[in-house]
Amino acid sequence: MAAPVFPTYVAPVHARHGSYSPRYGWLLKTHLAVLDNPHVFATPRAIVELGAGKSAVASMRFWSSAFKLTAEIPHLPGTANDVVPTAKGRWLLDEDGADPYLEQDGSLFLLHWWLLAPPCLVPAWYYAFCLSPFGRLKPDLLTAGMLRAAAGANWKRQPTAATLHRDIGCMIRMYTRSAHDQPRVTLEDLADRPFSALGMMSADPDGTVHLSHMAGARAPTAVVAYACLEYASRSAPGPGSISLDRLLSDPAGPGHVLRLTPRALRRALQAASAQHPELSVTNTGDGTEALTFNRPPLALAWDVLDESYGSVRQRLGVRPEQDATEARSPDRPPVEQLAFDAPAPKSSR
């Protein structure tokens, strides 16, 4: 069996997070700052505007871009990029947006999906959720697997084991709780590691990470349906169907990324179909099940998602389905999503 290889839409971007996983409030702070001033990251006032140190500010900028909530707008060589909100960012984080304070777990599942969607700026995350064949992940084995996947991708600059180890450490910190013996997520976890609430990963004291195979059972119906339709749109932009087997087994599909069991996926899609007649779960002639949609899947995906959040698009006048990050081919990551003015911070936590 051939070793897994990173697809072309996974960018060779490493350690831009500066070893900071996203904290509660960071995405909203960044959104408000760039909404007010697209040049904020080019000014010394960035640390004041964002209320964080220099390394943390660079991390906030990276995470906002990685989640597709901001876009980097390059200018002439030697001049600083502007940073502007995407339509997705406005839809989610505007004052009257879907969930600016990320109070709903569904919003975290949605951000997790966007993080791994094309163009993906977090190879370690992509490898762990989409390419690794194991449910028990040891950092050393993850590093070795990522080095092989990167070599097969023919990246011009190959990452070092030390760099990948920092990426993996940041990922584990992002999704796991602060104390291994805590039975529930604490207030400290919610502030420092909001994504630990998803239950995607747990860690043993020896560093072994357990990747959940059923965390997605808690994902809201609308988020699951959105992810399935958005994924289908990458290969079939018009009306059609996609098998549930593909949704579950494709490396970058909702089954892997959202950690869905067959039962959880089927239940969510059947519930979504009951509310949206343009969708249906059907049995095909060969006995398999498929999600069928009679409208372009990306437009339908946003209709389903937006309705579940109270019709934000109409309220704000934004069209996130037309975002450049979704309108471009997955095989051609936009330069503005990959370019940053500053080198990757060398600090660690």
Side-chain angles (χ1 to χ4, degrees), residues 132 248 292 312 336:
S132 174
L248 286 165
T292 302
V312 178
E336 64 266 29

Side-chain angles (χ1 to χ4, degrees), residues 265-312:
L265 175 66
R266 186 181 300 106
R267 184 174 64 240
L269 292 181
Q270 288 173 340
S273 299
Q275 299 175 21
H276 300 275
E278 306 95 334
L279 282 174
S280 61
V281 178
T282 59
N283 288 308
T284 62
D286 58 2
T288 61
E289 291 180 298
L291 174 65
T292 302
F293 34 92
N294 63 12
R295 291 175 48 209
L298 184 57
L300 183 53
W302 273 102
D303 286 350
V304 171
L305 183 67
D306 190 50
E307 182 179 308
S308 74
Y309 278 93
S311 301
V312 178

Side-chain angles (χ1 to χ4, degrees), residues 107-166:
S107 302
L108 295 177
F109 277 107
L110 184 62
L111 285 166
H112 173 76
W113 174 257
W114 287 346
L115 181 66
L116 298 180
C120 177
L121 307 187
V122 283
W125 283 248
Y126 188 93
Y127 184 84
F129 284 98
C130 301
L131 297 182
S132 174
F134 307 112
R136 297 178 68 226
L137 310 172
K138 287 186 177 289
D140 289 346
L141 292 179
L142 274 176
T143 300
M146 284 188 63
L147 287 171
R148 289 191 295 270
N154 295 317
W155 288 340
K156 290 182 179 179
R157 294 184 61 183
Q158 291 292 313
T160 66
T163 298
L164 294 182
H165 195 71
R166 288 199 296 274

Side-chain angles (χ1 to χ4, degrees), residues 109-110 112-114 117 219-234 242 247 252-255 257-258 260 265 269 291 297-298 300-302 304-305 326:
F109 277 107
L110 184 62
H112 173 76
W113 174 257
W114 287 346
T221 293
V223 173
V224 174
Y226 166 86
C228 292
L229 289 163
E230 192 274 315
Y231 184 72
S233 76
R234 299 178 195 176
I242 186 170
L247 293 170
V257 174
L258 296 180
L260 290 162
L265 175 66
L269 292 181
L291 174 65
L298 184 57
L300 183 53
W302 273 102
V304 171
L305 183 67
E326 282 187 335

Side-chain angles (χ1 to χ4, degrees), residues 68 85-89 302 319-328:
K68 285 74 169 180
T86 61
K88 275 198 198 75
W302 273 102
R319 306 299 296 180
E321 61 270 36
Q322 297 175 0
D323 251 346
T325 52
E326 282 187 335
R328 295 177 186 258

